[in-house]
Amino acid sequence: MHRIEAIQKLLGIKDVVYELLDWIEHVTDEEFEAYCSLAEPLPEDILQKIESFQHLSCDFNGHCTDLLQRLSLLCGAHGTCSE
């Protein structure tokens, strides 16, 4: 994967994450709990965003496996990624 292609894929992931964050900031705790427990179905547009996130993440992961494995090792060695 070329660097520009990786940037484009990550920007796509970022956009979907921001859309999901915008949604989650505007639901109540009760609504969110109902969605997570599957007591209420998620809105169709949110399901599509979650599917898009999963697809984009898997696509990126499929092209950058070595990098992601190294990050995982780094995070595992230090306990958290923020250290």
Side-chain angles (χ1 to χ4, degrees):
M1 173 185 305
H2 296 287
R3 186 178 66 85
I4 296 300
E5 186 180 1
I7 290 169
Q8 290 171 335
K9 289 181 185 299
L10 288 172
L11 286 173
I13 292 169
K14 178 193 76 102
D15 290 343
V16 173
V17 168
Y18 280 9
E19 291 170 4
L20 289 169
L21 282 170
D22 183 56
W23 169 76
I24 204 167
E25 288 175 345
H26 293 96
V27 296
T28 66
D29 289 340
E30 293 79 18
E31 289 172 315
F32 186 73
E33 186 177 324
Y35 293 135
C36 288
S37 68
L38 302 178
E40 292 287 330
L42 282 167
E44 186 64 31
D45 64 321
I46 298 304
L47 281 175
Q48 290 174 354
K49 287 178 176 114
I50 291 170
E51 289 173 357
S52 177
F53 172 77
Q54 194 267 342
H55 174 74
L56 290 167
S57 297
C58 288
D59 186 41
F60 181 78
N61 184 29
H63 287 94
C64 293
T65 306
D66 292 340
L67 172 66
L68 295 172
Q69 286 176 346
R70 289 181 186 180
L71 286 173
S72 179
L73 290 173
L74 178 65
C75 292
H78 291 89
T80 65
C81 292
S82 61
E83 293 179 344

